[in-house]
């Protein structure tokens, strides 16, 4: 059974930092890609960053490039998203999702989702 557990969200002031974690199980982590997605109130879910666990390639959407860093600890089957210089427009529920590969900043090919973790950035 595929399981994804996101954690690390919270309330932070603009300019602050958070580190999200995604603990994954139930699939071959080393051969997969993991993507971080977010959904802001009233908006569609968007892929913001993806990492290929096999070779470490990383991808970011333009709005987070230079501020967010995705990383992977294959020994722990965990992917992290370090978020710096947070802005109010980063407020959203953040999800991780596995895929067969990264398609730009989105993981692609599987349809498994965690419950998400809420990030709220105050101005």
């Amino acid at each position: 059974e595929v399981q994804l557990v996101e954690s690390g969200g919270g309330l932070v002031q603009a300019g602050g930092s958070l580190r999200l974690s995604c603990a994954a199980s139930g699939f071959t982590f080393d051969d997969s890609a993991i993507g971080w997605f977010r959904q802001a109130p009233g908006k569609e879910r968007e892929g913001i960053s993806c990492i290929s666990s096999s070779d470490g390639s990383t991808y970011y959407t333009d709005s987070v490039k230079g501020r967010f860093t995705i990383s992977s600890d294959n020994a722990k089957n965990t992917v992290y998203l370090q978020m710096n210089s947070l802005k109010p427009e980063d407020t959203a529920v953040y999800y991780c999702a596995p895929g067969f590969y990264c398609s730009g900043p989105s993981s692609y090919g599987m349809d498994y989702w965690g419950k998400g973790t809420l990030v709220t950035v105050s101005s």
Side-chain angles (χ1 to χ4, degrees), residues 16-66:
S17 299
L18 285 173
R19 188 176 83 151
L20 306 184
S21 299
C22 169
S25 62
F27 60 96
T28 306
F29 189 88
D30 292 355
D31 291 337
S32 302
I34 303 291
W36 280 101
F37 297 75
R38 68 184 180 188
Q39 187 166 20
K43 295 188 177 181
E44 293 188 355
R45 187 162 52 195
E46 63 167 337
I48 59 169
S49 185
C50 187
I51 185 167
S52 172
S53 297
S54 59
D55 65 5
S57 299
T58 59
Y59 306 86
Y60 300 92
T61 194
D62 287 345
S63 62
V64 308
K65 205 171 291 183

Side-chain angles (χ1 to χ4, degrees), residues 1 3 6 13 15 25 31 37 41 47 64 68 72 78 82 91 94 112 122:
E1 179 186 5
Q3 290 191 334
E6 302 95 340
Q13 288 188 333
S25 62
D31 291 337
F37 297 75
V64 308
F68 291 9
S72 175
T78 299
Q82 177 67 43
T91 295
Y94 284 70
Y112 299 104
S122 63

Side-chain angles (χ1 to χ4, degrees), residues 68-81:
F68 291 9
T69 302
I70 191 171
S71 62
S72 175
D73 185 338
N74 287 13
K76 295 182 179 180
N77 283 13
T78 299
V79 172
Y80 304 97
L81 186 69

